Amino acid sequence: MYNSELQKTRHYGIDLIKIISMYMVIGVHIYMQGGVLAAEDYGSAGYYCSSYIYTLFSCAVDCFVIVNGYVSSTSKFKLSRIIELWATVVFWSVIVSCFVMAVQPEYRSLEEGISMFLPILRGRYWFFNAYFVLFMFQPILNHVIRTLPKGKYKAMLFAIVCIFGFIPIASLGNDVLRFSGGAEFCWFVMLYLIGGYFRRYGAEFKYKNKWNIVIFFALGSFNILYKFLAEHIAMIIFGKPMFGELLLLNSSPIILGEAIALFLFFSRININRNTFGGKCIHYISPLVFAVYIIHVHPLVFWNTQVVDRFAFLAEFNPLLTAGAVLAIGLIIYIICIALDMMRMKLFSLLRVKQICNKLGEKIYVGILKILKIQ
């Protein structure tokens, strides 16, 4: 029987962690692609302050997929959902490409003209590609979640975490499993199953909810302590800081632990739909995926005018640097949400949702007919 406490109504605490996770993704990109982390002087207070926040934010992808598993494991499979999401991806791929090419003519090319209409086939968004494949496997995964006995379910999750979580660390970051550090479909399946486990059985931990946030920050502290020790030892032996990022892989047990702790914390927060906060969450939650699609568009993400653009923030006091990163991340978030609100209005006028529903039904019926013939 599914955990009744967590599925009576729509859970706005779960929606809130989706919103926060996407904000954390932006923060990660400001620190990395924005050049803040690379610009910090090794061993300085700013270096470890930025690294600590980056460590906390690094669980965002894991957390987002766990939420997806929690929400989708009891949902009816509908092709129209992924078709509508694909339409959103293509829309922003084309709009952003056209805007950047208009402003920066050097990016105009036949290849870009083709790629902007084929974001999946051209691999423009690795997260969406992995999510797309995950969606197609949802009926199978949901069947496993519903039918697998609890003991075997826990054993399976434990085995997968041990194999895909510890082997990349033991190999010093070498992708011996061709796993890309958790940024692929296989790890997404694992995260989906974790979300499904919590949906079916709920959290079995009896401690107060505040300890989940304590665990989240404690794991981040452990990660930064490891980074400090690993890099200092490497400096002594090899003459340069090395191996400090091993525990920052998406498949790292530490990062996974952060994601689970954060998920459990928000899963126990009850937010009334009729409050101002509940209404905001209800409206913003469906738009968060577009925040990713817009701000990591290849012509933006790898634009020569954007890469390392925020490196100057490393010159500030560590606390000012952190505050500036958080503020810039919030501005980017708000801009992307505002843009997708307009996209949502346009899609509503064009009845895109209804078109996707009809198209999804026809494709699904067609697939069933083909399978029956075979």
Side-chain angles (χ1 to χ4, degrees):
M1 181 177 293
Y2 286 96
N3 177 48
S4 58
E5 180 185 350
L6 294 179
Q7 70 161 4
K8 290 179 181 178
T9 59
R10 178 168 177 173
H11 201 309
Y12 287 96
I14 297 296
D15 283 337
L16 180 58
I17 189 54
K18 276 178 57 181
I19 296 171
I20 293 175
S21 293
M22 191 55 67
Y23 175 68
M24 294 164 70
V25 168
I26 296 175
V28 166
H29 293 158
I30 293 174
Y31 275 114
M32 292 301 290
Q33 277 68 26
V36 177
L37 204 54
E40 296 282 9
D41 294 328
Y42 169 71
S44 66
Y47 177 78
Y48 288 111
C49 181
S50 293
S51 295
Y52 182 63
I53 298 174
Y54 177 76
T55 295
L56 296 176
F57 282 7
S58 293
C59 71
V61 171
D62 284 11
C63 202
F64 197 91
V65 182
I66 289 173
V67 169
N68 181 59
Y70 174 86
V71 173
S72 301
S73 60
T74 56
S75 301
K76 182 179 180 181
F77 178 79
K78 290 184 178 181
L79 278 175
S80 59
R81 291 175 184 168
I82 199 67
I83 294 174
E84 187 176 358
L85 194 58
W86 173 84
T88 301
V89 172
V90 173
F91 175 85
W92 283 120
S93 177
V94 172
I95 293 297
V96 176
S97 288
C98 289
F99 175 78
V100 174
M101 288 190 291
V103 175
Q104 296 179 275
E106 63 269 26
Y107 285 101
R108 297 173 187 172
S109 67
L110 177 61
E111 180 181 359
E112 180 58 33
I114 295 174
S115 296
M116 66 182 183
F117 290 103
L118 302 170
I120 298 178
L121 297 179
R122 304 294 289 185
R124 310 202 85 173
Y125 302 102
W126 72 262
F127 182 88
F128 179 69
N129 283 13
Y131 181 85
F132 181 87
V133 178
L134 178 67
F135 182 88
M136 294 305 173
F137 278 84
Q138 277 186 12
I140 298 173
L141 296 176
N142 290 349
H143 178 74
V144 171
I145 292 169
R146 288 193 303 268
T147 60
L148 195 64
K150 186 176 182 179
K152 292 183 178 179
Y153 200 150
K154 294 170 71 172
M156 175 187 66
L157 294 179
F158 179 77
I160 295 175
V161 170
C162 287
I163 294 171
F164 293 115
F166 288 102
I167 289 180
I169 295 174
S171 64
L172 299 180
N174 293 315
D175 195 12
V176 294
L177 299 175
R178 297 296 184 268
F179 198 54
S180 298
E184 296 293 349
F185 164 72
C186 293
W187 186 246
F188 276 25
V189 168
M190 168 65 185
L191 297 170
Y192 187 95
L193 291 173
I194 290 175
Y197 180 90
F198 286 125
R199 182 72 174 197
R200 182 174 181 184
Y201 297 110
E204 300 176 327
F205 313 111
K206 303 302 181 183
Y207 52 77
K208 293 182 179 180
N209 194 31
K210 65 179 181 181
W211 287 107
N212 283 310
I213 208 69
V214 171
I215 291 171
F216 171 72
F217 284 107
L219 289 173
S221 299
F222 176 85
N223 220 332
I224 205 67
L225 177 61
Y226 160 79
K227 180 180 178 68
F228 174 83
L229 294 174
E231 292 182 345
H232 273 67
I233 293 172
M235 279 289 289
I236 296 172
I237 299 175
F238 303 107
K240 59 180 179 180
M242 299 170 62
F243 310 123
E245 312 298 321
L246 282 180
L247 298 185
L248 290 177
L249 300 173
N250 285 335
S251 58
S252 161
I254 303 300
I255 296 300
L256 176 60
E258 288 181 5
I260 292 175
L262 205 58
F263 168 81
L264 291 177
F265 176 77
F266 283 95
S267 72
R268 296 181 182 181
I269 295 178
N270 296 315
I271 300 174
N272 193 311
R273 166 69 174 86
N274 296 319
T275 63
F276 176 76
K279 291 178 180 178
C280 289
I281 293 170
H282 179 82
Y283 193 74
I284 293 174
S285 180
L287 306 175
V288 296
F289 198 86
V291 174
Y292 163 78
I293 297 300
I294 296 170
H295 93 271
V296 301
H297 187 287
L299 295 191
V300 174
F301 201 57
W302 300 112
N303 192 303
T304 55
Q305 300 299 317
V306 175
V307 173
D308 296 335
R309 170 60 64 180
F310 303 111
F312 72 94
L313 296 177
E315 300 173 5
F316 300 159
N317 173 283
L319 294 180
L320 287 177
T321 298
V325 169
L326 297 177
I328 292 171
L330 182 59
I331 291 171
I332 294 172
Y333 202 109
I334 292 172
I335 291 173
C336 292
I337 288 292
L339 289 172
D340 203 52
M341 284 180 180
M342 292 186 283
R343 189 275 311 166
M344 187 171 65
K345 294 291 185 183
L346 178 62
F347 273 30
S348 179
L349 290 173
L350 297 177
R351 301 177 63 82
V352 172
K353 186 176 184 67
Q354 290 81 352
I355 294 173
C356 291
N357 286 338
K358 291 181 180 179
L359 182 60
E361 290 176 5
K362 289 184 178 180
I363 294 175
Y364 188 68
V365 170
I367 292 174
L368 291 180
K369 288 183 178 179
I370 292 173
L371 292 176
K372 288 180 180 179
I373 291 174
Q374 293 178 341

